[in-house]
Amino acid sequence: MAKSKAEKKQRGREAREAARKAKQRQQLISRATWIGIPVLAVIGLIAFGLIRQNNQPPFDPLANLSPANVQGDIENSITIIEFGDFG
């Protein structure tokens, strides 16, 4: 009968150990899910922004300059008048 008790104790220890390992594995999977999915989403958004930015033509401020947008003679001289607050 002593052998039977020892075997039961050993099986109980093994069952508790297996349950503990299963719980740890489940916690690891849960952590990886809660951390991994947002990280992947952020990386995806950054990649999407970079790809979209690379597909745009370079900015040219003079591209929209047309005679309809210009008032007066283009070759006319410019006079700059400074107004000073201090004297």
Side-chain angles (χ1 to χ4, degrees):
M1 202 147 174
K3 191 173 185 182
S4 155
K5 268 187 169 181
E7 288 176 357
K8 285 183 181 179
K9 282 185 177 181
Q10 183 63 26
R11 277 190 250 135
R13 283 188 209 123
E14 289 172 356
R16 283 192 301 271
E17 182 69 21
R20 186 181 65 79
K21 285 183 179 182
K23 185 177 178 183
Q24 283 180 339
R25 186 173 37 252
Q26 186 62 34
Q27 286 177 342
L28 179 65
I29 291 170
S30 177
R31 282 189 201 128
T33 301
W34 282 106
I35 293 171
I37 290 176
V39 167
L40 288 176
V42 169
I43 290 172
L45 287 173
I46 291 171
F48 177 74
L50 289 175
I51 290 171
R52 194 160 183 224
Q53 184 180 17
N54 287 338
N55 290 336
Q56 292 181 352
F59 178 69
D60 185 13
L62 301 177
N64 293 333
L65 186 63
S66 65
N69 293 341
V70 177
Q71 296 177 356
D73 185 18
I74 294 176
E75 300 298 324
N76 213 359
S77 63
I78 298 174
T79 304
I80 298 174
I81 302 172
E82 289 188 33
F83 296 97
D85 291 340
F86 304 106

